[in-house]
Amino acid sequence: MPQLIEKVYTPFQKNAGHYATTTSTPSKFNNVRGYTIVNGDINSLPLKVKNFIEESALLCQPDKIHICDGSEIENEIFTKSLLEAGTLIPLPKYQNCYLARTNPADVARVESKTFICTPHREQAVCTPRPGIQGTLGHWISPKDYDDAIMNRFPGCMKGRTMYVVPFSMGPVGSPLSKVGIEITDSQYVVCSMRIMTRMGSLVMDEIIKNNVDFVKCLHSVGTPESGKVAMESWPCDPDRVIILHKPENNEIVSYGSAYGGNAILGKKCFALRIGSTIAQREGWLAEHMLILGVTCPNGTKKYIAAAFPSACGKTNLAMMTPTLPGYKIECVGDDIAWMKFDAQGQLRAINPENGFFGVAPGTSFETNPNAMETVVRDTIFTNVAYTSDGGVFWEGLENTIKPGVTITDWLGNPWELGVSKTPAAHPNSRFCSPASNCPIIDDKWEDPEGVPISAILFGGRRPEGVPLIYEAMNWQHGVFIGSAMRSESTAAAEHKGKVIMHDPMAMRPFFGYNFGHYLKHWLEMEEQCNKLNGTMPKVFHVNWFRKDKNGKFLWPGYGENSRVLDWILKRIDGFDCYDETPIGYVPTPESLRLDNLKSQINLKELFSIEREFWLKEAEQIQTYYDNQVGTDLPKQIQQQLNNLKARVEKMQ
Ligand code: GTP
Ligand code: SPV
Ligand code: MN
């Protein structure tokens, strides 16, 4: 049996991007099914891996299969090929950085086309009130799931290469980690997965050695024949995008988009949607949370996890430069946390990712210098603007533009500061950078045991009514606060306008199973902890985004948020520095450090808790539960809402 390996890489050929058509390949390398293995040895793989590859090949009918090893040389070859295809543009101002401009119809996650497939609808989603559209995820039946695949995938990789990407979410070999294999026809996705996950032979070896189960991820940008491909350099099929998850098979299938969470399948699809279902089965939590370490002036260090909806400040908080002297922030992760109790009942978290896929606009030397330092090496930027000196530009970097430098916007059109009316960078433009590049990456960010979590923060964009910070009175109250979270919509998904949406636990787009069951699971974490004689983390709600009557932020945010962390640390240490309010505990006036603040803060407005506002808020939460969650709502959560209503009603 000849080894089906071709040592020569063909992607060097001109125009050999995603849609490279095969030229002659030696027939002796073609196996019976008509494809050539151009890298890797399929026969050395465990049967279940081999089967997954062969079934996918049978369906997608690629000309070639490349089993990725994750090596430097392999990455260089893909990069070169993407440059030749025009998918990537070099950025000579920085080291090993590139810009991708997408098809303008493929710029964000597509929540309306994202589905969870279970035998029964109620396993995946809550049952909304009759006549009401559910907003807590979309269910698809097993039959429609199969049909969706069969209507899109057969032959979708004809004439092209199928890449097999073994990856680990979490440090390779950690007891908290899980592995996956993504099959994709996009080299851009392969290069992104290499940044965002631990990817390559190391992971495949782990799968072979320990015969571990892997999450099956199948991705295609779509068929060029669909006629909807407007840009050769960014193939996609926007009209037929679909993102499917089948938890019982640990399976993800994504078609038509190459953007972010739609295509980098280790991230939202695996680490959150499939991850949350595994976590429910195994008794842990998979959450849309940053993880940071904070050291205070006396040298003690605590770790905090925080759930904010997409584009609401996780990356910024995770990499914050504190303005309070003597404080140090270190970053463990900026988007996802997997958390589990250890044998002592201490909640521990790992960041399952290996990189940051961060929002570019708003990131600057003033707001997030650590991110700015992170992105000047080994980064793929997507949909930011380009400068004539080989660099990047986005809203927030206005003062970095040197005289004479011209700007090209994310669509490829000339753009002029102060003149052009449209944004230079797409509002959801991103940087994709290795976490190890971050100057404040935490020593323990790859600790296989995870870091101990002392507090969980919830927060969102609440221009009105919600104070800078308040603390939950207990765990159940904390779970309630998370379930009742609301936030202004952002460009991270397809929602239009700035409406205040419910986004419970910052997970609305990412639940892998029924939200009511998810809340029950959260409530049960306390029992798990008690059995182990542990201490539950404290829960807080923060809001950096409250505005005054003129629409100006009441709080400077960013590094100044260290003042809020300082108060949280005092509470973790048990200091009695809070006042009780109907919505929770708020800092006593002297306990929130405001020394040396550069601007005048209207504390009264920032912390005001209005009876009318909160009566309405409680009513809206009730309507939301009734309309969206129905009988799946745990009674403890309804009780918490009743308690809130009663406390607010008693206000003067
Ligand atoms: P995803 O990657 O989509 O999950 O987003 P994220 O939660 O990591 O949000 P990120 O930190 O990238 O911030 C999104 C936007 O919010 C950026 O434009 C930031 O500049 C802005 N932002 C972050 N923190 C603050 C803050 O404390 N105050 C204000 N006013 N804006 C902030
Ligand atoms: C988010 O939208 O929460 C992101 C970006 O982190 S994406 O990976 O595209 O989902
Ligand atoms: Mn996110």
Side-chain angles (χ1 to χ4, degrees), residues 109 267-268 288 308-311 314 334-335 430 510:
R109 281 184 292 99
K267 198 174 178 59
K268 306 298 177 171
H288 191 201
F308 309 155
S310 302
K314 287 182 300 301
D334 81 326
D335 200 51
R430 301 263 169 174
F510 309 122

Side-chain angles (χ1 to χ4, degrees), residues 109 268 288 308-317 334-335 357-363 367 428 430 461 492 544-545 553 555-558 561:
R109 281 184 292 99
K268 306 298 177 171
H288 191 201
F308 309 155
S310 302
C312 290
K314 287 182 300 301
T315 303
N316 278 272
L317 188 63
D334 81 326
D335 200 51
F357 188 65
V359 178
T363 309
T367 58
N428 192 39
R430 301 263 169 174
R461 290 177 181 261
W544 319 139
F545 300 94
F553 288 121
W555 179 250
Y558 301 104
N561 295 333

